[in-house]
Amino acid sequence: MIVGDGVAAAALGHRYEARPHAELAPKQAGKHRWVATGAWVLSDEAVSGADDPDTMKFLDNENLMYLGIGCWDCERPLEAITKDSTCPAPGE
């Protein structure tokens, strides 16, 4: 769940594949590996192709509602991580 600054969002249980897509190796301690999660305001047209992995997904700045950055491995948000720190462990 994402909460903050008037925003509360939770995963809906749906995952729409995009091609090509990136995958990270299993979680590991050491260097932080950064990921971003976002929420966009979508038009009916954008939603109509969501279930087709071959349809381009246009997620631009004009429609960006929320962006969160954090470490994939320790699952902490960017603001809770000290600069140049070592990632403690998966999920800790």
Side-chain angles (χ1 to χ4, degrees):
M1 175 174 272
I2 301 168
V3 179
D5 295 339
V7 174
L12 300 175
H14 303 288
R15 180 179 170 169
Y16 297 104
E17 182 181 350
R19 290 187 190 145
H21 68 275
E23 292 197 25
L24 285 170
K27 295 183 179 199
Q28 59 193 12
K31 184 176 179 181
H32 291 289
R33 294 186 297 168
W34 304 106
V35 295
T37 58
W40 284 264
V41 176
L42 300 175
S43 67
D44 289 341
E45 181 182 355
V47 172
S48 68
D51 58 351
D52 179 3
D54 293 319
T55 298
M56 291 288 291
K57 312 300 190 273
F58 295 104
L59 303 174
D60 55 25
N61 284 335
E62 288 78 20
N63 296 316
L64 180 62
M65 186 174 78
Y66 175 85
L67 181 67
I69 300 173
C71 176
W72 171 256
D73 297 308
C74 66
E75 301 177 7
R76 292 185 296 162
L78 177 61
E79 61 269 13
I81 297 173
T82 307
K83 184 179 178 184
D84 299 324
S85 68
T86 300
C87 181
E92 290 186 9

